[in-house]
Amino acid sequence: MKPARFKTLQSRIFVFFFLLILATQLGSILITSTLGFSIVNKTLGEELETGKRVFIRLFDQNTAFLTQGARILASDYGFREAVSSNDAETIASALDNHGGRIKADLMLFVGLDGRVVSGSTTARQAIDASQLAWLSPREPQRNATALIERINGRLYQLITVPVTAPLPIGAIVAGFRIDAGLAKDIGKITNTDVSYVSKETDTGWAVHASTLSGAPLEALSQALDTDRITTDAITDVSTGSGVYLSLRTRLPSPGGQESVAVLQKSLDRSLAPFRDLRDKLLMLGALGLLVSGLSSLAIARSVTRPIKALAEFAQKIAQGDYSGKPVITGQNEIADLANAFDHMSTEIASREAHILDLAYRDTLTGLPNRAMFHDRLQQAIHTARRLGKPLTIMLIGLDRFKYVNDSLGHHIGDLLLKEVARRLQDALRRGADTVARLGGDEFAVLLPTDDMGSAHKVARSLLDALEKSMTLDDQIVDVRGSIGIASAPLHGEDITTLLRCADVAMHQAKRNSSGYAEYDARFDHNTLARLSLMSELREAVEHDHLTLFYQPKVDLKDSEAHSAEALVRWIHPERGFIPPNDFIPFAEQTGYIRAITTWVLNEGVRQCAEWARMGLEVNISINISARDLMNADLPDYFTGLLKQHGCDAQRICLEITESAILDDPGHALENLQRLDAIGCRLSIDDYGTGYSSLAYLKRLPVSELKIDRSFVQNMASDPNDVVIVRSTIDLAHNLGLHVVAEGVENEAILSQLCLLGCDQAQGYLFSRPVSAADFHAWVQAKTWKEQLRLARQA
Amino acid sequence: MKCSQKGFIMALLLHAMTGWSHTQAATLTLQVTSASGTGIEDAVVYLMPGKPPGRPVQTPTARIDQINKEFVPLVSVVQTGTRISFPNKDNIRHHVYSFSAAKKFEIKLYADTPSKPILFDTAGYVVMGCNIHDHMIAHLLVVDTPYFAKTDANGMLRIADVPPGDYSLIAWYYMRPDRNALVMPLSLKADMTQAISIRTRSSD
Ligand SMILES: [Cu+2]
């Protein structure tokens, strides 16, 4: 439940708002910056124009002021007197003296011919003698003139005013140095950077005074050289320390010279407040971004948290937990959704309960069904494992249920099952006990105990409850059950194992007619080895590792006929002899018995035919399992075998156990009739272990009855068994059946059987099951005749 | 200067006056005109004899008034040694001065007639101004001869009582005070009437 972080709703909302705000902030900053730049650019241009106007006005005023000063000086009587003296020294001293009054940096007196007559000390220092003559000749005029002129590499504003005495006698030239101080003063007033530059025809531009310094000054010099800023338009000059907007104004200059004042304004300095604003905006923006980021995160969370809660709630529902309620407060859409979820959860819960009821309950009896029993058992196993509490299960199978169903009808069968369910429930009044119907006639009980004593008691009481006659639709029906018991953790700790153990025990109980049986590992062939056993068994059948042994059936009535029961033996190529009990029950359980039976039938018939050809007449009995009896193809296959080997059907006797017939009497009867039609003989094996009445057997096309060895073996010691054997023989004879006794192990038994009129006897007394060759030899030896003689004499 | 000398165009009409003995005084009547022929006012003409004149200064004093912030007359001519008084006819004060080489003087702020007239004892051009009123200018030519006169509004002048003899006739005009307007020899035997043409501007 953790997809890529960016894909969650929360991060989407967050990222969307974050980007939106970021874009807005950036946009406003961008606009502010651009707007700031254009405003500053425009304002600067205007300021420069204003600066230029101010500068011109200032220049004119200054010129007028200086001119006025010079005029006053020129009209000073003493000065005029001194100048009139025509004495250069006197004139020089007057120039020094009076020039000082008007703070002129240099003073010259120029004659009417335009020649410099004399100069102040500063002038003489600034201009050497040769340069005095270099001064451009100027006609002393009535009107004053003011020119910007370069003298000896320095820039001066030269104010020329005539001197009259009272007629014009010359002019004084007052020079005012244009220096950094002036530039600074003018710069302050014009609020621009001011640079005075000049150029002569044969020289390049030179900066004489400037408020600039450093990189901007150098940039200005370079720009001057390219004549870029000497036009009248505003230009911009890039310097190392930013861009300057520049505007020039021409200054009055003498011929051959050009002087210009360049006004500049630093774009950067003017942009500084905007940059400051931008920085503040950036800070504000960052702050806003942080705040809005956090709040959008909060909003995103407030939206997604209930969604997450709902998702968790939905997951709980998916896991089947309907107990919770989505904790979502408020009145918004999500709260509505939560309520809808809650409602849905309730509906699902009730519907599921209904479905569960259908799924977990056996509709016929109302008992829990197999699925529910599994669940309860699973829970019980969990609890048992966690708390160390033991538990016990019982599997209850009804004996002869199919018989009841077949003979009395399904309706009675259903009533019977209901009655059984009711009785079992009545017998188990303890709430903790669970009774379930697993299917068919199979019931199960779950007890929270492993005390075998009490378990046995419960089993006994259950059996007792079942054994009372029931009246179903006016019919009296007797029912008996077999119970298998298994406990956890004694026999297993999971459902499968426990159920299998109980099943094994139940079949054990059924086989032994003991009513109930506790699981006993000795009877359980259902182990891990089964898997390999299966494949090995398959291999044994395919590669003829099986073989048939023959146990003689001795005719007690002195018949010459030879009979033998064919018993399958497995000679494993590696493990050697494998007892039949190790694989026959397994084969019966798995159904593989059909393949074995097929093989046995083939071999038995082949052997019978072979002996017949050798002149040895042997009636061979072959065991057919319950599953074989269900096989509809068996009669045809058997017919084919007889034909194939050229065997007389009369020579073959098929032995069927009593229980095999009772499992599914309808089917069994049909197959038996077909086999009978073929001409072979049929025999009931292990008679006495089931509950079939002889009356029922009479309806079957059988000609032989084999009394189970358990009755025969005890005949010598138990008079009851003698009674049973005798009555069985008598009844069988009455029904025209041939009687065979199994398990004849000593002469005493043989003697009794002879007395009781038993037809044939089979047992170790005569011979164990032996190979075909040994059986042949046994027949030749005829030892049984002597045994029979002795038995009759006893 | 050569060019200015060269620029001089002189037209002189001489009418020899016979019948006058050299012992008898002669009168020179002269008309001064510009190149265009109009008479020039306030032009000064004086005659310099070959030998120093024996005649003493005939007018030992002269007067230059200040009337309505103007010097009156504008142009004066006197013989060396003449004393000139500067009576102030205005009711404001004037401060007459001269930085001219021929005579430097000043009469500091005064009203009425200053106590002492100024003695002009050196021949030459003296330009006078008022230190208070820049536009006030008076031109004075001091000559070493008693034979001088200045033209009237028609450019006419008369120099009387001149002993016959050889003279240098010199014309001077205040508009171009730095040089003589005309210098020419004049042999005066008897009364003579003549006309001269001069350049009036320094640029001419
Ligand atoms: Cu005055």
Side-chain angles (χ1 to χ4, degrees), chain A residues 75 77 80-81 84 165-167, chain B residues 97 99 106 125 128-129 131 137:
Chain A
S75 62
Y77 187 79
R80 284 191 291 179
E81 194 174 24
S84 302
L167 290 176
Chain B
Y97 69 91
F99 297 132
E106 68 174 315
Y125 171 60
M128 288 155 292
N131 202 27
I137 291 176

Side-chain angles (χ1 to χ4, degrees), chain B residues 93-95 130 132-133 136:
Chain B
R93 292 167 185 244
H94 295 290
H95 176 162
C130 173
I132 313 297
H133 311 103
M136 288 172 68

Side-chain angles (χ1 to χ4, degrees), chain A residues 400-704:
Chain A
R400 290 194 302 161
F401 173 69
K402 278 202 172 94
Y403 171 65
V404 170
N405 226 11
D406 285 352
S407 51
L408 301 177
H410 287 286
H411 176 61
I412 298 295
D414 287 351
L415 290 177
L416 171 67
L417 289 172
K418 280 186 183 176
E419 180 61 18
V420 166
R422 196 185 57 75
R423 289 190 182 186
L424 289 177
Q425 276 180 305
D426 285 349
L428 289 169
R429 268 298 159 210
R430 292 210 333 241
D433 304 334
T434 299
V435 185
R437 180 180 172 224
L438 301 189
D441 61 336
E442 199 174 38
F443 293 84
V445 172
L446 173 60
L447 303 171
T449 174
D450 69 341
D451 176 7
M452 276 307 152
S454 62
H456 287 194
K457 258 183 219 163
V458 171
R460 188 72 260 165
S461 68
L462 289 175
L463 289 174
D464 288 347
L466 293 179
E467 271 181 12
K468 288 170 193 153
S469 293
M470 7 180 136
T471 308
L472 306 168
D473 266 5
D474 296 335
Q475 299 216 34
I476 295 170
V477 181
D478 283 319
V479 167
R480 284 172 67 190
S482 296
I483 298 179
I485 305 171
S487 291
L490 182 62
H491 299 132
E493 288 194 73
D494 60 90
I495 293 180
T496 317
T497 310
L498 283 174
L499 281 175
R500 192 180 57 74
C501 289
D503 190 57
V504 168
M506 183 185 81
H507 280 97
Q508 186 63 24
K510 208 172 250 189
R511 251 198 304 281
N512 296 347
S513 301
S514 55
Y516 61 90
E518 192 183 331
Y519 171 74
D520 186 340
R522 286 174 297 166
F523 299 111
D524 188 4
H525 305 287
N526 211 355
T527 54
L528 270 182
R530 281 159 55 101
L531 272 180
S532 63
L533 185 64
M534 185 70 189
S535 62
E536 288 181 52
L537 193 53
R538 187 169 284 140
E539 201 172 296
V541 171
E542 285 167 6
H543 295 90
D544 283 345
H545 292 153
L546 299 180
T547 186
L548 286 183
F549 273 35
Y550 300 89
Q551 187 172 38
K553 290 161 80 176
V554 175
D555 202 308
L556 303 183
K557 304 268 174 81
D558 280 337
S559 166
E560 280 302 310
H562 301 292
S563 298
E565 182 179 0
L567 295 164
V568 70
R569 291 292 180 266
W570 183 4
I571 314 294
H572 195 278
E574 288 155 24
R575 289 193 269 163
F577 180 80
I578 294 174
N581 265 350
D582 282 3
F583 67 96
I584 294 298
F586 166 74
E588 280 175 346
Q589 277 176 20
T590 57
Y592 198 68
I593 192 68
R594 284 164 64 169
I596 294 175
T597 303
T598 302
W599 185 90
V600 168
L601 275 175
N602 181 47
E603 176 60 18
V605 171
R606 188 199 63 75
Q607 186 63 55
C608 183
E610 187 184 320
W611 276 332
R613 281 194 294 277
M614 290 166 63
L616 185 63
E617 302 277 327
V618 183
N619 296 318
I620 294 181
S621 296
I622 297 173
N623 291 291
I624 300 292
S625 75
R627 283 177 185 271
D628 295 322
L629 208 52
M630 299 299 124
N631 185 3
D633 295 335
L634 184 69
D636 291 341
Y637 174 71
F638 184 58
T639 309
L641 281 181
L642 293 174
K643 268 186 190 162
Q644 183 193 339
H645 296 293
C647 181
D648 186 358
Q650 289 270 327
R651 294 264 172 244
I652 306 298
C653 173
L654 299 179
E655 295 188 0
I656 302 119
T657 60
E658 185 188 7
S659 57
I661 296 165
L662 294 178
D663 273 349
D664 189 355
H667 241 99
L669 187 59
E670 188 190 333
N671 253 351
L672 287 175
Q673 279 164 349
R674 286 175 61 193
L675 289 169
D676 182 53
I678 291 167
C680 69
R681 288 177 297 127
L682 296 170
S683 168
I684 299 293
D685 204 358
D686 300 339
Y687 181 78
T689 55
Y691 299 95
S692 52
S693 62
L694 274 173
Y696 173 70
L697 292 180
K698 192 180 181 304
R699 292 160 58 191
L700 301 175
V702 294
S703 55
E704 186 183 281

